[in-house]
Amino acid sequence: MIPSYRVINFNAGPATLPPEVLKEASDAIIDYAGTGTSILSIPHRGKHFDAILEESKALVKELCELDDDYEVLWMQGGGRLQFAMVPMNFLGKDDTAGYIDSGRWSADAIKNALHYGKVNVLSSSKDENYTQLPEWPKKIPNDLAYLHITTNNTIHGTQLKKIPSTDVPLIADLSSDIFSRQIKYNRFSLFYAVAQKNIGPAGATLVVVKKKMLKRVARTLPPILDYRQHVDKNSVLNTPPVFSIYVSLLTLRWIKAKGIAAIEAENERKAALLYDEIKRNALFSSAIKKSDRSTMNVCFETVNEETVLLFVKYAEENGIINIKGHRKRGGLRVSLYNGISLSDVQYLVAVMQQFEQNLNKR
Ligand SMILES: Cc1ncc(COP(=O)(O)O)c(C=O)c1O
């Protein structure tokens, strides 16, 4: 059942955060750690924020099982700034970068890269409306500046199950499935993830970069757009989103306490429950290739357009919100990030079943 104080919010981002994190964050707004002042007002160059930065960076490394070859950065500008900064930093004007086009966000990343150098789209599933992942390329040219992938396609509901190893530097957008499962993070030369799904509130973006990669910066850039400057200034080149980083730290502690293996098992159970109901229920169907289905964003269809609206309304009347598909895709989308519990999904499934029974009675 829904806790009395809230609805169940399946938004794709900003997403639902664990209740324990919200409680601690809200206390810190009034009085941060007994300092007598709000977390919203602590200096970003001072001992309290230094401690937040250091602990959060250490936790990211620990959870990703990374050694000191990597730098952890908190940045701003969301996924879109990373779409631009990656080629700005690592794609010289005569170089070629490889991209795998697995969805709308990868396509956006490609468009950004074209401003700075050449792009070789090694594989795409655009012709299949991104209802499946593109085939992994048989051959990856070894002179690519890097290869960019998106591990989870938030809008389309597909997810790359295994991270391949490559001979060229692998760069990944992990925005919508970071910390949701065990991943070989050390396959990446750089990865980034917006906070607003599995990490914390919107405002911060996590970037993890291999030190060796920083030697490959391809052009002179204004400091704010140069990864090396952010490393040199320890993520406080400019005033960072202090609150967003603090709440991200609270979520990282929560992830560590649960353990990624347990989180992964729960995410699989949540997704299986919902996919099973979509298959069973005559009103719903999924167009996504089974082996590519995402555990994070479950995208599905209804028998007709009218049923989307009817179900969205019925769900809202029953305390479930933000399940409409992305405006570019339509249908329904239920996002099952780490902050969504198994009982939230059980409740949704019960509401889907009641909806079917009610329609049948008409
Ligand atoms: C996988 C992925 N990459 C990038 C973005 C873009 O993030 P932002 O809106 O912060 O630019 C999103 C947004 O949902 C996303 O899901």
Side-chain angles (χ1 to χ4, degrees), residues 124-308:
S124 169
S125 52
K126 189 168 184 216
D127 289 347
E128 287 81 31
N129 282 331
Y130 300 120
T131 52
Q132 60 184 63
L133 291 175
E135 279 203 11
W136 190 253
K138 293 207 172 47
K139 195 174 171 331
I140 296 172
N142 56 16
D143 59 348
L144 294 177
Y146 59 83
L147 173 64
H148 181 282
I149 61 172
T150 310
T151 54
N152 186 75
N153 299 288
T154 326
I155 297 176
H156 314 281
T158 59
Q159 185 175 32
L160 187 65
K161 301 294 168 187
K162 273 208 181 107
I163 307 304
S165 58
T166 54
D167 292 335
V168 298
L170 188 61
I171 295 188
D173 177 355
L174 271 110
S175 292
S176 49
D177 68 349
I178 193 165
F179 304 133
S180 70
R181 56 180 172 140
Q182 289 159 301
I183 291 181
K184 288 198 162 49
Y185 290 93
N186 63 5
R187 297 247 153 115
F188 304 119
S189 291
L190 181 149
F191 60 89
Y192 57 91
V194 299
Q196 65 263 24
K197 298 169 196 293
N198 265 338
I199 309 179
T205 304
L206 178 66
V207 178
V208 180
V209 57
K210 217 171 187 168
K211 286 177 183 158
K212 243 166 65 187
M213 198 63 194
L214 295 168
K215 299 210 166 76
R216 293 179 174 233
V217 175
R219 53 175 63 74
T220 307
L221 289 163
I224 195 74
L225 298 172
D226 187 328
Y227 288 116
R228 294 170 305 187
Q229 297 283 339
H230 288 273
V231 169
D232 278 357
K233 300 291 180 307
N234 194 26
S235 297
V236 281
L237 176 61
N238 68 320
T239 313
V242 169
F243 184 63
S244 181
I245 296 170
Y246 171 65
V247 181
S248 299
L249 167 62
L250 298 180
T251 315
L252 291 167
R253 286 183 190 155
W254 178 87
I255 293 171
K256 184 181 166 180
K258 278 194 103 162
I260 297 219
I263 288 178
E264 177 172 17
E266 191 172 338
N267 284 335
E268 275 170 13
R269 280 187 71 195
K270 281 154 45 185
L273 200 63
L274 183 51
Y275 283 119
D276 284 352
E277 175 58 17
I278 292 167
K279 188 165 176 225
R280 191 212 57 79
N281 194 315
L283 299 174
F284 304 111
S285 64
S286 165
I288 312 295
K289 186 173 170 190
K290 200 168 170 198
S291 55
D292 295 343
R293 284 174 180 170
S294 169
T295 54
M296 292 285 96
N297 309 99
V298 177
C299 297
F300 56 111
E301 272 63 52
T302 54
V303 277
N304 55 39
E305 265 307 296
E306 194 204 351
T307 311
V308 173

